[in-house]
Amino acid sequence: MAGFYFTLLAVLLSGLGARDQVTVAGLALKQGFRWPVMATGALVSVATAVLAVWAATLIAPLMQPPARLFLSAIALAFAGAESLLLAPRRKPDEPTHSLGALLIVLIAHQMTDAPRFLIFAIAIAAAAPVPAGIGGAFGGIALIAAGCAVPELVTHPRARLARRLVGVALLLLAAWIALRVMVFA
C-alpha cells in the first residue's frame, strides 16, 4: 500500500505545471471546461501509467535489488531533468477542438514526463508495480482534472517555479540513492 501512496504523492508533486497539464489548461482557458477533454486526458493518464508499470514488470525480475535501486535512481534523474529542462509551451492561440489531436499530444507529453518516470522508478524500487500503477493513474487523472477545472492555477508562473524546485529535489534524491547503492552494495 505504501507504493500506492508514494506514487500518488510523487505524481501529484512532479506533475504540477507539467506539459500535459498546461496543454489541457490552455484548452480550458480558451474553450471552457469540456468533459471530452477531461475523459481523453484521464484515458491517456491511465494508459501511460499502465505502460510504465508494464515496463517495470518486464525489467524488475531480471535485476538484483541493488541494480533495481540504481535503475530507480536513473529514472529519478530523468524525471528531475525533464522537470528542469522541458518547459511547457505557451498556450495555443487557436486551439483545435479535435480530441484525436489532443490524444496524440497528450501521449507524446506523458510518455517522457516526470510522473511516468516516477511511476516506473517506484514500481521497480518498491517491487510493487500494481499499487504504483494505480497510484500513478489516480495522480495523473487528478492532474488532468486540475488542469481542466482550475487552469489559472496551472498556468500561473509560480507553478513553473514549483516544477523547477521539484526537479532539483528529484535530481538530489537520485544522486543520494545512486551514491548509497554504489557505497553500500
Side-chain angles (χ1 to χ4, degrees), residues 100-161:
L102 177 65
L103 179 80
I104 292 168
V105 168
L106 289 179
I107 289 172
H109 287 328
Q110 287 189 6
M111 289 299 295
T112 58
D113 71 352
R116 269 30 83 171
F117 283 127
L118 290 173
I119 294 168
F120 176 79
I122 294 171
I124 289 273
V130 174
I134 294 170
F138 279 145
I141 292 169
L143 289 168
I144 292 294
C148 287
V150 285
E152 302 83 17
L153 175 71
V154 172
T155 56
H156 195 275
R158 290 196 182 188
R160 185 170 287 179
L161 174 64

Side-chain angles (χ1 to χ4, degrees), residues 14 16 30 32-33 42 57 60 62 70 92 97 103 110 115 135 137 168 175 177:
S14 67
L16 179 65
K30 293 288 185 182
F33 182 86
T57 58
L62 304 174
F70 195 79
H97 289 273
L103 179 80
Q110 287 189 6
V168 169
I177 291 172

Side-chain angles (χ1 to χ4, degrees), residues 35-54:
W35 281 107
V37 170
M38 174 63 196
T40 301
L43 175 71
V44 172
S45 294
V46 170
T48 54
V50 167
L51 188 61
V53 167
W54 176 72

Side-chain angles (χ1 to χ4, degrees), residues 62-100:
L62 304 174
M63 306 177 88
Q64 296 296 321
R68 284 197 315 257
L69 281 177
F70 195 79
L71 180 60
S72 294
I74 292 171
L76 283 172
F78 280 141
E82 190 273 337
S83 294
L84 286 172
L85 300 176
L86 296 179
R89 294 175 30 177
R90 300 216 180 263
K91 297 179 285 279
D93 289 332
E94 296 182 32
T96 180
H97 289 273
S98 169
L99 294 177

